[in-house]
Amino acid sequence: MDVVYGMQVVDENDKYVSIAERGAAVFSEVAAPGRFLAELFPSLAYVPAWLPGAQFKRDAAKWARDLVALREVPWGAAIDAMVW
């Protein structure tokens, strides 16, 4: 965090560390090859999320919030800490 955003992380209970850990957990879920049936059948990307068997779409919506927080929260804190 210090190299990229200029923020000191004091302990492992820091909110930025927990955001980064959630992002790493999402990446490890998504990066597993063959994890989702939509990889074999790309047309499944167009099914509605409420459809049984479309759990991957509901998971993706939840994971998207974590990944956006991974990008936006530290960036916003760094911008707020800048002296204009």
Side-chain angles (χ1 to χ4, degrees):
M1 296 300 284
D2 187 32
V3 172
V4 176
Y5 298 108
M7 290 182 270
Q8 296 292 327
V9 175
V10 291
D11 63 359
E12 63 266 359
N13 295 327
D14 192 68
K15 73 176 183 176
Y16 302 113
V17 172
S18 67
I19 290 171
E21 287 175 346
R22 285 196 313 265
V26 167
F27 180 75
S28 67
E29 279 288 319
V30 172
R35 168 84 164 80
F36 302 103
L37 197 56
E39 292 176 37
L40 293 173
F41 304 106
S43 61
L44 289 177
Y46 302 105
V47 300
W50 54 265
L51 195 70
Q55 181 66 38
F56 68 95
K57 292 201 78 154
R58 294 185 290 275
D59 290 341
K62 180 177 59 173
W63 292 336
R65 289 190 299 268
D66 290 337
L67 293 178
V68 168
L70 179 64
R71 182 186 66 209
E72 296 295 326
V73 172
W75 177 256
I79 294 297
D80 291 342
M82 293 175 105
V83 177
W84 294 96

